[in-house]
Amino acid sequence: MSNKVDLSDSLKKLAELVSWFENQKEVDVEQGLAKVKEGAELIKKSRERLKEIENEFEEVGKGLEV
Amino acid sequence: MDIKKLQQLREWRDRQARKEGVEVFRVLSNQTIEEIVLNDIKTEEGLLGVKGIAEKKLAKYGREILTIMNSSSDVVLDREQGGRASQEIIEQGGSDEKVFSVSVFLDLVNTGLRTFEVKIKGEVSSVDERGGNYYFGLKDKEDGSTISCLIWKTNYRLAGVELTEGMEIMIHGFPGIYKPNGRISFQADSIELVGEGALKKQYEELKKKLADEGLFAPERKKPIPLFPHKIGLITSRQGEAIFDFRTNLGKFGFQIEFFDSRVEGVQAVPALLKAVKYFKNKDIDVLVLVRGGGSLESLLSFNNEMLVREIASFGKPVVSGIGHEQDVSLVDLVADRSCSTPTGAAKLLSYSWEQALARVNLYEKDLFGRYRKVLSDRRYELENSASRLRRSFSAIFEHFRQLEIRLKEKYLAIGAGLKSSAQYLAQAGRTISLRFDSLLAQAGERLDRAEAAIKTNDPARQLALGFSLVRSGGRIIKSVEDVRQDQEIKVELQDGEITSSVTNIQIK
């Protein structure tokens, strides 16, 4: 269920992709297209993880003496 | 309450604990036993509703507990070969004329007194510490009435109050008779200071002490992880805090492990400590303690030194969301992040998730926007290049066209020139021919004249006329100086040649 590493990683990679465009003096169209494709995939996966998922709630420690 | 049942359950519990080699409360606590008896619980479902009994304990002890609860006290005790007190009751046949030994009587009285759990307020009149346990007198400020009290060292440490004479306190516990001397004493399980001023003073002193130790220092704070997923939640099942927390926690698939704990009153500190310890080695990303708002007095548990130290040493980040009217609780100060409400704590945990969503949207806009601009720039460049090419080709074509025109002009000029030249050549040919004829005629005439001259001057004609040619060595002798004495000479005549020798030279 948990894929927080993937999400952190995806956001980091997306930031790097945006930086790549920022840092290029002249963007090669083919290279740019490859970067955009990679970004689109990351955005799709991130959105998948960030969509509304019901929380799981479990009571623990019942029966433990205080 | 059925005192006999209470006694039977306690005796069974004590025997069971001895058998298992554990402390009695590990089997059943006094509170649990009292709840079972007080509510006359006789079914498994009923037992599961008692605090302190879950499925595991029900499976282990349920049958024996229910046997006691569903049987006549005397029969059960007989079969269980119970304690001395119960046996003596049986020996008396349950009649009204019971005769007890002192010890049994005190046991029965103490069992009854155990149910008188109360809070008492008074002034500390004396304090005596023995082996970590504290024995103290509590005096009524109005009429001086006094009761002896004791608190075991564990509970004393939990209370976080340093007893001194003259201090006004409120204690919770139950009375009992100390069997060796028959005196009544009050067994306290908690101590609280009385009065806002005293509480405030205690709060400030403890706050300073813990701050001096560096427990609240910013550099000790652990960062709250991005995208927390597994949350350990400690609060009361009853309060609004849990509702506020769950309502305001975003739906990002959080796994919440909830530990129900009292958050106010004498049982709160041990309950909170138990809960924090429970989560100590659990696989969670963050521990959350929440409670609704309250006064300094009602938040006493969250200013407890042991609880603060337990949180300070907790290995994972701790978030507190404890409502307060004035002073921030010490748990808030020691927590890695403190929020003013349970709602605030929930929003804090959701924050990175919500931000991630916003960041993904932003990156999407940024990424595609930048690439669209790249494409747009390229299209513009292409159009620009095409336009330049078109202009360049037009210039080239125009140049070729001009060249063609010039070439045609030149061609026509050359054609005209050629035609003119041809005419000229034709004319010249005719002229040359005429002139050539003339020249030929002139040359013929000149030849004729030359022939005539040649004929006139022909040596042979001269020879025929009697002249001769004298040669020597192939050369014609024109002077006497050309020959020497005795030189051979040849004389050519019209009809032959004479070879002779110079015999005499005579110059004229």
Side-chain angles (χ1 to χ4, degrees):
Chain A
M1 175 72 181
S2 174
N3 56 356
K4 63 180 178 180
V5 175
D6 289 350
L7 192 52
S8 295
D9 205 37
S10 295
L11 289 172
K12 190 180 161 201
K13 282 180 181 167
L14 280 169
E16 286 170 357
L17 289 174
V18 172
S19 294
W20 184 86
F21 275 97
E22 283 173 349
N23 297 331
Q24 298 294 306
K25 282 184 182 170
E26 192 170 334
V27 175
D28 178 88
V29 177
E30 287 301 320
Q31 273 188 304
L33 180 62
K35 299 283 181 190
V36 167
K37 277 183 180 173
E38 188 184 350
E41 190 63 28
L42 289 168
I43 287 166
K44 186 183 164 194
K45 284 180 181 171
S46 301
R47 284 233 171 87
E48 187 67 24
R49 178 62 191 97
L50 287 167
K51 72 180 183 185
E52 187 174 298
I53 303 172
E54 286 297 332
N55 298 329
E56 293 173 24
F57 191 86
E58 181 194 3
E59 185 169 346
V60 296
K62 279 193 284 190
L64 287 180
E65 288 294 337
V66 173
Chain B
M1 182 186 290
D2 187 334
I3 300 299
K4 287 180 185 174
K5 284 269 168 56
L6 193 68
Q7 182 72 6
Q8 287 165 13
L9 276 176
R10 281 185 176 168
E11 287 172 355
W12 164 80
R13 185 267 316 267
D14 293 350
R15 284 197 306 280
Q16 189 66 30
R18 280 197 297 277
K19 198 188 297 177
E20 294 181 22
V22 297
E23 293 186 74
V24 291
F25 69 82
R26 297 281 179 201
V27 179
L28 282 184
S29 71
N30 287 335
Q31 194 181 348
T32 304
I33 291 175
E34 283 160 20
E35 197 174 332
I36 294 169
V37 176
L38 195 64
N39 295 305
D40 196 24
I41 290 168
K42 293 180 175 174
T43 64
E44 289 189 351
E45 291 74 22
L47 283 177
L48 280 173
V50 176
K51 186 170 173 61
I53 296 182
E55 284 80 1
K56 197 174 169 185
K57 272 195 180 173
L58 180 68
K60 195 169 181 184
Y61 306 127
R63 192 182 61 79
E64 289 173 273
I65 296 170
L66 292 176
T67 302
I68 293 169
M69 291 304 294
N70 287 302
S71 303
S72 139
S73 303
D74 296 347
V75 173
V76 171
L77 283 172
D78 194 30
R79 189 167 63 224
E80 295 288 333
Q81 296 177 343
R84 190 158 56 91
S86 302
Q87 281 180 330
E88 289 188 17
I89 293 170
I90 295 163
E91 282 163 13
Q92 294 306 318
S95 72
D96 293 336
E97 296 177 357
K98 294 172 188 170
V99 177
F100 304 118
S101 67
V102 173
S103 178
V104 170
F105 173 70
L106 289 178
D107 282 343
L108 285 174
V109 172
N110 278 335
T111 302
L113 289 175
R114 178 68 182 79
T115 63
F116 286 104
E117 277 192 30
V118 288
K119 282 183 177 178
I120 307 173
K121 187 170 77 173
E123 190 179 281
V124 177
S125 56
S126 63
V127 182
D128 183 18
E129 184 262 326
R130 275 176 268 161
N133 304 317
Y134 280 77
Y135 299 82
F136 58 98
L138 196 65
K139 188 172 74 178
D140 191 307
K141 283 172 76 176
E142 299 297 322
D143 65 3
S145 302
T146 302
I147 186 169
S148 297
C149 308
L150 74 91
I151 183 166
W152 303 116
K153 58 183 177 185
T154 307
N155 288 329
Y156 184 75
R157 281 205 301 272
L158 274 176
V161 175
E162 192 175 339
L163 285 175
T164 53
E165 285 183 26
M167 178 185 274
E168 192 174 4
I169 59 171
M170 183 164 64
I171 57 176
H172 173 272
F174 54 87
I177 295 171
Y178 186 50
K179 285 166 74 176
N181 61 19
R183 288 177 189 163
I184 192 164
S185 68
F186 191 85
Q187 187 174 322
D189 52 30
S190 74
I191 303 173
E192 292 174 26
L193 289 173
V194 173
E196 191 74 11
L199 286 173
K200 179 78 176 164
K201 184 167 176 282
Q202 182 199 26
Y203 167 83
E204 292 297 345
E205 284 174 355
L206 183 57
K207 182 178 169 185
K208 183 176 183 312
K209 176 184 163 187
L210 297 173
D212 288 346
E213 288 182 30
L215 261 64
F216 307 146
E219 57 269 24
R220 287 191 72 260
K221 307 285 184 195
K222 293 180 278 296
I224 307 304
L226 282 175
F227 315 118
H229 179 62
K230 294 181 178 175
I231 299 169
L233 173 65
I234 301 173
T235 191
S236 167
R237 188 193 291 120
Q238 312 297 336
E240 288 183 6
I242 189 170
F243 175 78
D244 289 345
F245 181 81
R246 291 185 66 180
T247 304
N248 288 286
L249 193 64
K251 292 180 178 177
F252 292 107
F254 288 110
Q255 285 184 353
I256 306 158
E257 291 192 6
F258 163 61
F259 195 113
D260 178 34
S261 167
R262 295 185 186 184
V263 290
E264 188 173 344
V266 293
Q267 290 297 320
V269 170
L272 288 168
L273 276 170
K274 191 83 182 174
V276 174
K277 284 176 181 169
Y278 171 84
F279 283 114
K280 208 155 192 173
N281 296 314
K282 291 286 183 286
D283 177 25
I284 56 172
D285 298 324
V286 62
L287 179 66
V288 181
L289 274 91
V290 292
R291 183 201 189 280
S295 63
L296 182 61
E297 197 167 2
S298 66
L299 293 174
L300 270 179
S301 324
F302 293 92
N303 291 325
N304 181 272
E305 184 175 351
M306 285 185 74
L307 182 62
V308 170
R309 290 188 185 282
E310 195 66 37
I311 290 171
S313 66
F314 197 76
K316 304 278 174 56
V318 178
V319 173
S320 68
I322 300 162
H324 51 270
E325 289 166 2
Q326 290 179 340
D327 296 303
V328 176
S329 76
L330 299 182
V331 164
D332 275 322
L333 293 177
V334 78
D336 297 301
R337 283 291 293 273
S338 73
C339 304
S340 55
T341 58
T343 298
K347 288 188 171 172
L348 173 73
L349 298 179
S350 299
Y351 182 75
S352 60
W353 292 93
E354 283 163 2
Q355 283 299 301
L357 202 53
R359 281 171 67 192
V360 166
N361 291 339
L362 187 66
Y363 286 143
E364 183 186 41
K365 192 178 167 191
D366 216 358
L367 203 58
F368 289 112
R370 283 175 192 279
Y371 190 62
R372 263 196 297 276
K373 187 170 183 315
V374 168
L375 291 177
S376 170
D377 290 349
R378 289 296 175 278
R379 188 162 55 229
Y380 174 76
E381 284 169 16
L382 282 172
E383 285 171 357
N384 205 21
S385 299
S387 177
R388 283 206 308 271
L389 275 174
R390 274 196 299 275
R391 282 200 301 275
S392 299
F393 278 117
S394 295
I396 290 168
F397 289 141
E398 179 61 21
H399 185 61
F400 270 106
R401 204 173 64 79
Q402 292 296 332
L403 285 175
E404 188 183 15
I405 290 168
R406 286 170 62 193
L407 197 62
K408 279 180 180 172
E409 286 172 356
K410 293 288 180 192
Y411 176 77
L412 290 173
I414 289 168
L418 284 173
K419 191 176 178 183
S420 172
S421 297
Q423 286 172 347
Y424 172 77
L425 285 174
Q427 183 62 36
R430 281 193 297 276
T431 304
I432 289 168
S433 177
L434 287 174
R435 285 189 181 178
F436 190 70
D437 289 345
S438 172
L439 286 173
L440 279 177
Q442 285 175 10
E445 286 170 10
R446 286 171 69 184
L447 282 173
D448 289 341
R449 279 193 302 272
E451 185 181 13
I454 289 169
K455 275 179 183 175
T456 305
N457 296 306
D458 185 5
R461 184 172 173 261
Q462 298 302 323
L463 292 177
L465 288 176
F467 296 97
S468 60
L469 285 172
V470 181
R471 292 188 179 90
S472 178
R475 290 175 59 200
I476 293 174
I477 304 301
K478 293 177 181 176
S479 171
V480 290
E481 292 177 358
D482 291 336
V483 292
R484 293 179 313 272
Q485 187 78 24
D486 300 325
Q487 183 176 336
E488 186 181 82
I489 58 172
K490 289 181 178 179
V491 181
E492 183 182 350
L493 302 176
Q494 182 185 8
D495 55 353
E497 190 180 77
I498 303 166
T499 302
S500 63
S501 178
V502 178
T503 57
N504 185 37
I505 299 171
Q506 191 174 5
I507 297 172
K508 289 181 184 175

